[in-house]
Amino acid sequence: MVPKLCLELERRQHEIPRQIRTGVKTGVSLSRTRLYHYIAGVEVSQFYEVPEGMIGIVLPAREYAVYTHLGASDRTEIDQTLLLHMDKLRQRGLEPDLSAYALEIRHSGHSSSIDIHLPLRGTNPSDDSPEFVYRPL
């Protein structure tokens, strides 16, 4: 996660009602080209009251390729691993969807392990599918 956002989330996480998984933080990022949009947050069952200065986001159901990044958790290291796995996906005939949000899921106590969920192009599941559909690498 982006360090400044992560620190702010740590400081204010107690304000977020209806958290689903204690100790799990999710980074949501859009595009790794010119414009970079990143949200640090936690999964909630629903959000009626979003704390002041925060936003809520609902991600549509879709298929993701999932891999675990092990090692340093700095942005450069994570992005290098991301590029490597994007190449692997393309070698398997799968295309990452850079117009959709990718997820970075961190579990407390596992600072060197991040589950990365890359959205796939052209593989959106039907509306009655689970929120996240995984395709392990």
Side-chain angles (χ1 to χ4, degrees), residues 13-14 18 32 35-36 41 45 48 55 57 63 66 70 91 96 109 112 130 137:
Q13 185 172 348
H14 68 279
R18 293 179 281 290
R32 296 188 183 268
L35 177 65
Y36 189 74
S45 56
Y48 291 118
I55 63 167
I57 183 172
E63 190 171 23
V66 180
L70 298 171
Q91 290 170 9
S112 64
L137 290 176

Side-chain angles (χ1 to χ4, degrees), residues 2 7 25 54 77 92 95 111-112 115 128:
V2 177
L7 290 173
K25 295 180 178 55
M54 295 185 188
E77 181 87 15
R92 294 179 180 187
E95 188 64 32
S111 61
S112 64
D115 294 331
D128 60 351

Side-chain angles (χ1 to χ4, degrees), residues 85-87 89-90 94-99 118-121:
H85 284 281
M86 288 172 66
D87 285 342
L89 286 172
R90 290 184 178 111
L94 298 168
E95 188 64 32
D97 186 352
L98 300 179
S99 68
L118 285 171
L120 298 175
R121 184 180 304 277

Side-chain angles (χ1 to χ4, degrees), residues 4-5 10-11 22 39 43 56 59 64-65 67 72 86 90 95-96 99 102 111 114 122 129 131:
K4 186 176 179 180
L5 286 176
E10 286 287 332
R11 189 177 70 76
T22 305
I39 301 167
E43 187 178 359
L59 300 175
Y64 292 86
Y67 69 91
M86 288 172 66
R90 290 184 178 111
E95 188 64 32
S99 68
S111 61
I114 304 166
S129 65
E131 173 120 2

